[in-house]
Amino acid sequence: MEEHYQPSSCETQAQRYWEENRTFNAVEDPRREKYYCLSMFPYPSGRLHMGHVRNYTIGDVISRYQRMQGKNVLQPMGWDAFGLPAENAAMKNNVAPAQWTYDNIDYMRKQLKSLGLAIDWEREIATCKPDYYRWEQWLFTRLFKKGLIYKKNGIVNWDPADQTVLANEQVIDGRGWRSGALVEKREIPMYYFRITSYAEELLADLDTLPDWPEQVKAMQRNWIGKSRGMEVHFPYAPSPQPSPITGEGVAKEVLKVFTTRPDTLMGVTYVAVAAEHPLAIQAAAHNPALQAFIDACKKGGVTEAELATQEKTGMATGHYVQHPFTGERLPVWVANYVLMGYGEGAVMAVPAHDERDFAFATQYSLPIKAVIRPADGVLPMPLTAAYTDYGLLFNSNEFDGLTFEHAFDSMAAALQAKALGQPKIQFRLRDWGISRQRYWGCPIPIIHCADCGDVPVPDDQLPVVLPEDVVPDGSGNPLAKMPQFYETTCPACGKPARRETDTMDTFAESSWYYARFASPQATTGMVDEKARYWLPVDQYIGGIEHAILHLLYARFFHKLMRDEELVTGNEPFAKLLTQGMVLAETLYRTHPNGKKEYYFAHEVTLERDNKGRTISAILIADGQPVTVGGIETMSKSKNNGVDPQELVDKYGADTARLFMMFAAPPEQSLEWSDAGVEGAFRFLKRLWKRVAEHLSHGPAPALDDGKLTTDQRALRLQVHETIRKTSDDIGRRYTFNTAIAATMELINALYRFEDTSEQGRAVMQEALESIVLILSPIVPHITHALWHELGHADAIVNASWPQPDPAALVKDSIELVVQVNGKLRGRICVPATASRPEIEAVALADENVKRFVDSSAIKKMIVVPGKLVNIVVAG
Ligand code: ANZ
Ligand code: ZN
């Protein structure tokens, strides 16, 4: 055996062995329990970053552990290959997005392989390949025919200089990121997935996922946002154009609002509509001031956060509606705090009981009418703020005195009797717009025919192949300038027709890749019957940044595919782990203009204290100090990223993996530390050395547990306690760090154990084998080598997880707590075979116990075997 640990040769050999033996190729076997472990696949940006390494190491440890449990494990890998960065890189370097993407994939695949991940590479998928996206197109056509995909106008960011649609992230301070031109909003037709049809199920099924983090489920519930409320109709008289609606005369039309507080209905003093509401548009037709106000509203942000913080402004339309019960005339206002996309795009405003309405009414001197009071008192009048709690109704005629629940039912009945409203469940979730006016994505399989309308591409014409040799120039979608792409014939009538040139949101591809991995080469469908064997994913691992959209869309797709009878079960991911961020210290100088300039660690000389913490830093270039900033997420903009490749090149993949798993539990953030990396490397060297030292005494004889000395038994006890503890840490709790800590303690004990007798070596052999097995999911290369050195012909990757030996776990001595009158006063250690009087004697001899016990006052002693001694004293 080599005297010293040499990571690179260990790693090459182990990886070659796995590759030659196709060790990780997953084959369906109904007789074996399957385990599908999936880490979120990467976007092929060019190089792996530390977040990837962490994510994939966690998945790998879990996969390898499950394999050692005898499960039939599938761990696949692929590429989320469509998307905007490829187009940006294409423009910058004048290379086609396809070429750029495939080159990146080749490089990153090599990097992933160098990490020694137990991946079935024969299942690799790249979502930009026609054999993948053809099935997405196929599903699209099915859903389109079912009405689960439909077309409507949507609003996009339009860059008038570049004549192109911009993604939200391409709009910086209201201007196009390349042109600097002021961005406009444009309405264009787009396709939408009717995800709202599944809102109820997407919400309810969260309760069937006990192994998802509560936080993620809460975020999803919030996003889906179910509200129980009432639709209320406010009648108004339709006015023959162009005279304004007056609210007088015969009220034939109704303005609908959605409210969660129908109990406040008698407190409505005005009605507010969104700037895009038809009533607003109608009223503005003859009111230039109102039109100007509406235009100004549209310029503002549309996100909820922006709406919540912006100043509330509004303008009266001059129109009125009638209160559904009293017939009172209520003014209609346009208000910027009303969203067109929610409910009916209109609200019944109750300033006394809604904060936004209160602020608005105060600003525009609109009446405030209180109708809800606390159950145990009265409202302080005049109101200085909205009273938003539930309470009892007053000022509400026949509804006076009712509680919220009773008022809800009574109002519902009264409204329904007049056909002016009914209870309604409202979701915050919107339908998913998937049209993107971009090149590098999956073409939407629709053909536009002047006679037949939107015709889905027939199956035998799929896939609609995206040409791969295109270099976009930033001015509009290149597909729309390629007649060879868009000129086609109508599949229905055969006349010339135009192919859709929009591509799909790339969230579509990542919504079903988990299923495709079950049968990645299937040529007859999205998946084949193998999906029944592998799905659902038993363990899914990825970043918390995907807690809402990606996971919601994937859950939605699973239900869509289930309803197409492609998969079974209601959910794609049985268990979810969201790993924490990788952080590192920042080094910077603040320039006089306030800007920070960040430095790489290699540009400075660091001085550290004995705990490895940085105390000061000097820039090598000029010898002057640099500020040691806080610990922040590794990022390009802060120059605090550590390149995993450098780490692997310098120490090997095992050190990188060990450090990642030791530095923090997977769900917490992980602080980068060079000292920690060196510590991980030293530990592996120590392990290697201990095995080499042990083997230098020749092969160990068989262990005979009847012949062990006390010390030998003590070591065996620690070995088997370590097995028991690490099984729980790795298998159930996923606290890989504490498992590693336990093996470190065990190695320390092995260094203290210098017994080279026959049985001493037998115990040592067992201890080393156990450590090597326990660590093998975490550091698979070094353990591959050590396992062979320890005398095993078969590879460790085929070995089973070690089992604790109950006989070894029997303790020679046990610890008992000693109580005096029920209070904990000491701990004693007695032989496991000690008799009752012996235990009592040891308890009474304990120094601390003696301070609380006057032996003449002892009334009785209770001994609970294996647990405690309670001494009852008088006084
Ligand atoms: C009257 C009322 C009185 C309201 C009151 C609240 C308190 P959630 O819980 O999110 O469903 N609303 C309805 N549609 C809106 C829109 N398009 N834009 C902005 N706000 C809208 O919220 C429902 C409440 O939000 C509704 O109940 C409505 O105001 C408002 F004391 O109606 B409420
Ligand atoms: Zn046609």
Side-chain angles (χ1 to χ4, degrees), residues 447-453 455 489-497:
I447 292 167
H448 304 285
C449 170
D451 293 340
C452 313
V455 184
T489 51
C490 171
C493 71
K495 287 196 198 131

Side-chain angles (χ1 to χ4, degrees), residues 137 191 443-449 453-458 461-467 477 479-491 495-503:
Q137 294 174 336
Y191 292 94
I444 290 179
I446 290 283
I447 292 167
H448 304 285
C449 170
D454 290 359
V455 184
V457 176
Q461 292 175 29
L462 291 176
V464 178
V465 177
L466 184 74
N477 180 354
L479 295 178
K481 297 177 215 159
M482 292 172 65
Q484 65 274 36
F485 178 77
Y486 64 72
E487 277 178 2
T488 184
T489 51
C490 171
K495 287 196 198 131
R498 188 186 163 99
R499 195 182 285 295
E500 172 65 54
T501 55
D502 283 357
T503 54

Side-chain angles (χ1 to χ4, degrees), residues 583-586 599-600 632-635 638-642:
L583 319 176
E585 144 186 293
T586 49
Y599 301 100
F600 288 107
E632 295 187 49
T633 309
M634 281 190 181
S635 80
K638 304 222 169 70
N639 285 356
N640 66 339
V642 179

Side-chain angles (χ1 to χ4, degrees), residues 657-685:
R657 296 170 59 121
L658 182 64
F659 166 72
M660 286 276 169
M661 302 309 281
F662 184 52
E667 284 177 310
Q668 287 173 24
S669 53
L670 180 156
E671 266 179 46
W672 184 263
S673 139
D674 290 326
V677 173
E678 275 152 31
F681 186 52
R682 261 199 319 275
F683 170 68
L684 294 181
K685 287 197 290 197

Side-chain angles (χ1 to χ4, degrees), residues 572-583:
F573 312 120
K575 197 168 178 177
L576 176 70
L577 189 159
T578 47
Q579 98 262 4
M581 300 286 224
V582 183
L583 319 176

Side-chain angles (χ1 to χ4, degrees), residues 38-70:
L38 181 65
S39 292
M40 290 181 184
F41 67 164
Y43 178 76
S45 56
R47 289 177 86 80
L48 290 184
H49 56 65
M50 278 301 170
H52 290 130
V53 177
R54 188 175 194 198
N55 192 163
Y56 301 143
T57 304
I58 295 168
D60 201 48
V61 173
I62 295 172
S63 294
R64 288 175 178 270
Y65 173 83
Q66 292 295 340
R67 179 187 173 97
M68 292 176 86
Q69 299 295 316

Side-chain angles (χ1 to χ4, degrees), residues 227 258-261 264 337-350 353-354 356-357 387-388 426 428:
S227 293
F258 171 73
T259 178
T260 45
R261 294 293 305 270
T264 65
Y337 69 92
V338 183
L339 293 167
M340 192 56 212
Y342 187 67
E344 304 294 337
V347 305
M348 55 177 234
V350 187
H353 304 294
D354 181 275
R356 294 167 303 177
D357 300 344
Y387 176 75
T388 58
Q426 178 67 45
R428 222 179 65 93

